[in-house]
Amino acid sequence: MAEQQPTPPPSHNAPVIKIDDAIEAIGMGKFQRRILWAAGLCFTADATEIMLLSFLSLTLQSEWGLTANQTANMTACVFAGSLFGTLTLGYLGDHYGRRPAFLLSCAIISVFGVLTAFSTGYSSLLGIRFMVGFGVGGLTVPFDIFAEFLPTSARGKHLLVIEYFWTAGSVMTPLFAFLTLSTSWRLFVILCAVPCIISGCLGVCLVPESPRWLISVGRDDEAMAVVRKAAADNGLNPDDLFHSSVKLKDEHVESSRFSDLLSKKWRKINILLWFTWIGYAMGYYGTILTVTRVFDADAVEGAADGGTPEFDYKAIFISASAEIVGLFVVIQTVDSFGRIPSQVMAYLGGGVFLFSLSMLADSANANVLTVLAFFGRAFEMMGSCVTWVSTAEILPTEIRTTGHSAANAMGRTGAFISPYLVGTNNPIKAVGAIMLMVHLVTAFCAYHLPESKGRVIGHIDDSNHTETDEHNEQEGSEMTFQYGSGSKTPVQPVV
């Protein structure tokens, strides 16, 4: 990852500077890379804990003699837990700090992820996996911590780089399944918990509290201490960047509540975000479950007859690898195409390929289906990645983790529906038609979100994004976009 040259604050003699200028001044370096690893492994944990369900459910359907509805419940309970977890842990992130919420999420996933291996029956497994989902619901917080430490010019690509960790989890899970499921599913679920254990350890040692959050609650001196430490870790002299008389501008805001998300100021954006997240989650997880269903029909039948599931690991691994391609493409294009066009194109493409896969599932040969699954998952990955980035950039500091968590909760609601929609009792062609409609609605909602490319994090104007895009091209990234009045003023140090 290339180092970014630091940008000094606009006026070295200014006694007070904004937190945005301070973050720009420390640049991009070792400090952010450490946080990237801690936060990124949380994404790996999220992927492994979700992806393992498609393997674990069929394995236990065979071993424990479960019905199709019971296996769907195993998947749904994780998403139900994440729905409650994202609302609870996101709220804690805004009111008690990003770091405590991050560490608590890691602890819950690690403990209950390991406890899954000691489940003695169906009921105990559901309860434990519900708690794993509860912890997974808090994983918007480390993403927001990472976003809040990134300078504007580096934010788009680096917020997408973190998605490589999710992709690593998506690829690791079928590999873990291939190596362990024939021996013990209990060993399989323990391996899937390891990334979160490592993430928690790194979080304790390397991740400080977000200075943007500290500023928002009036702890200005602590915020400056974090910024100075970050500058030192990046190889800069903090005394040269922030001499002893420099203070951070007090940007204390009132504590936010969930009801604030539907206030006049943020109602439209949050509703659009919620529907985008519902559609993204239904599309993403629905695609994964559909691919598993198409390529493992024999495994499902074998499990139903009491046999041992035989997964088509080759096809699943190839389709999972598609996420690497989709992520690479979107990293190269998101800052040129913009957040909104990237989402619209990805969701439309994902819908078309998933629809085609479903329509041809019973007639096309395996190679054609593998290609369709590959491109379907690539487009789903592209859309979901940019939605995560856009959400973190649009929401202001005082409601960022609450708002991001609320959007994630809506996404988990969509994910909760997906195993029942793609269940084996529903015709595969009907699934494809419904999922196409879901993708069309998702693309429509994403299109009406404001563009955040090149703009200061949390300062987005809720006006027509085409007009503001043109204005932003003329003014550059020194513009802040205010809600309400739509006024735009240059970022300058406060004297």
Side-chain angles (χ1 to χ4, degrees), residues 99-153:
R99 189 172 185 269
F102 167 29
L103 297 179
L104 180 59
S105 297
C106 288
I108 293 172
I109 298 170
S110 299
V111 170
F112 287 95
V114 172
L115 284 178
T116 301
F118 300 93
S119 302
T120 56
Y122 178 70
S123 298
S124 64
L125 180 69
L126 289 184
I128 291 172
R129 296 310 296 177
F130 178 90
M131 290 305 301
V132 170
F134 188 91
V136 166
L139 296 186
T140 55
V141 179
F143 185 86
D144 291 338
I145 290 177
F146 186 53
E148 291 176 344
F149 275 111
L150 292 175
T152 301
S153 56

Side-chain angles (χ1 to χ4, degrees), residues 271-285 387 406-415 417 438 442:
I271 290 175
L272 287 172
L273 281 174
W274 294 348
F275 278 99
T276 301
W277 275 74
I278 290 174
Y280 128 63
M282 288 185 68
Y284 183 85
Y285 294 111
T387 295
N408 193 28
M410 296 297 172
R412 301 299 176 175
T413 303
I417 298 171
V438 169
T442 307

Side-chain angles (χ1 to χ4, degrees), residues 14-218:
V16 179
I17 62 172
K18 294 182 179 181
I19 185 62
D20 293 319
D21 298 320
I23 296 298
E24 290 292 332
I26 66 176
M28 184 74 200
K30 183 190 295 184
F31 176 79
Q32 285 91 346
R33 286 200 300 273
R34 290 172 176 171
I35 297 177
L36 171 63
W37 275 97
L41 283 170
C42 269
F43 268 55
T44 302
D46 190 351
T48 56
E49 294 296 343
I50 297 300
M51 300 300 172
L52 72 80
L53 296 170
S54 59
F55 297 99
L56 183 63
S57 60
L58 292 182
T59 299
L60 293 184
Q61 184 178 17
S62 171
E63 185 170 324
W64 290 356
L66 304 178
T67 66
N69 283 338
Q70 286 177 315
T71 57
N73 291 340
M74 288 174 56
T75 301
C77 77
V78 176
F79 293 124
S82 66
L83 172 62
F84 288 98
T86 197
L87 295 173
T88 303
L89 295 168
Y91 177 86
L92 294 178
D94 271 342
H95 290 78
Y96 297 97
R98 313 304 200 217
R99 189 172 185 269
F102 167 29
L103 297 179
L104 180 59
S105 297
C106 288
I108 293 172
I109 298 170
S110 299
V111 170
F112 287 95
V114 172
L115 284 178
T116 301
F118 300 93
S119 302
T120 56
Y122 178 70
S123 298
S124 64
L125 180 69
L126 289 184
I128 291 172
R129 296 310 296 177
F130 178 90
M131 290 305 301
V132 170
F134 188 91
V136 166
L139 296 186
T140 55
V141 179
F143 185 86
D144 291 338
I145 290 177
F146 186 53
E148 291 176 344
F149 275 111
L150 292 175
T152 301
S153 56
R155 196 174 62 233
K157 287 189 176 180
H158 286 85
L159 283 179
L160 287 172
V161 166
I162 198 174
E163 300 284 355
Y164 274 120
F165 288 87
W166 172 279
T167 302
S170 298
V171 174
M172 285 166 52
T173 305
L175 178 61
F176 288 162
F178 175 76
L179 294 174
T180 62
L181 272 184
S182 60
T183 303
S184 171
W185 64 265
R186 300 179 191 275
L187 177 59
F188 171 58
V189 297
I190 289 175
L191 283 177
C192 289
V194 169
C196 199
I197 295 173
I198 298 174
S199 175
C201 294
L202 292 178
V204 170
C205 300
L206 302 177
V207 179
E209 185 54 82
S210 165
R212 292 183 186 272
W213 180 82
L214 290 169
I215 284 288
S216 74
V217 296

Side-chain angles (χ1 to χ4, degrees), residues 260-339:
D260 293 336
L261 301 179
L262 292 176
S263 66
K264 183 178 180 181
K265 185 186 294 186
W266 294 308
R267 183 188 304 129
K268 178 182 176 182
I269 284 179
N270 276 299
I271 290 175
L272 287 172
L273 281 174
W274 294 348
F275 278 99
T276 301
W277 275 74
I278 290 174
Y280 128 63
M282 288 185 68
Y284 183 85
Y285 294 111
T287 297
I288 292 171
L289 293 172
T290 301
V291 169
T292 303
R293 175 178 171 180
V294 168
F295 288 104
D296 291 313
D298 293 337
V300 174
E301 293 173 2
D305 295 336
T308 301
E310 293 292 338
F311 298 100
D312 188 346
Y313 288 107
K314 179 181 177 181
I316 294 175
F317 187 82
I318 290 174
S319 67
S321 301
E323 295 192 356
I324 300 175
V325 176
L327 183 53
F328 176 80
V329 171
V330 79
I331 285 176
Q332 304 305 314
T333 59
V334 67
D335 283 332
S336 55
F337 290 175
R339 296 2 176 193

Side-chain angles (χ1 to χ4, degrees), residues 335-455:
D335 283 332
S336 55
F337 290 175
R339 296 2 176 193
I340 304 307
S342 296
Q343 290 179 79
V344 172
M345 177 189 70
Y347 290 129
L348 291 177
V352 169
F353 279 101
L354 182 58
F355 177 76
S356 301
L357 176 67
S358 301
M359 294 299 108
L360 299 175
D362 298 326
S363 57
N365 62 46
N367 291 332
V368 172
L369 296 178
T370 299
V371 170
L372 293 173
F374 183 93
F375 282 102
R377 287 197 65 169
F379 277 110
E380 296 294 341
M381 186 64 179
M382 291 169 64
S384 64
C385 288
V386 183
T387 295
W388 272 81
V389 172
S390 179
T391 302
E393 292 179 332
I394 289 171
L395 297 171
T397 300
E398 64 267 27
I399 64 163
R400 181 165 296 120
T401 59
T402 299
H404 202 164
S405 294
N408 193 28
M410 296 297 172
R412 301 299 176 175
T413 303
F416 178 87
I417 298 171
S418 60
Y420 298 105
L421 174 62
V422 189
T424 55
N425 293 329
N426 298 323
I428 190 67
K429 292 184 178 181
V431 170
I434 295 172
M435 295 302 291
L436 178 61
M437 293 301 300
V438 169
H439 282 78
L440 292 175
V441 173
T442 307
F444 174 84
C445 293
Y447 175 78
H448 287 87
L449 289 170
E451 180 60 70
S452 57
K453 179 184 73 172
R455 300 175 183 174

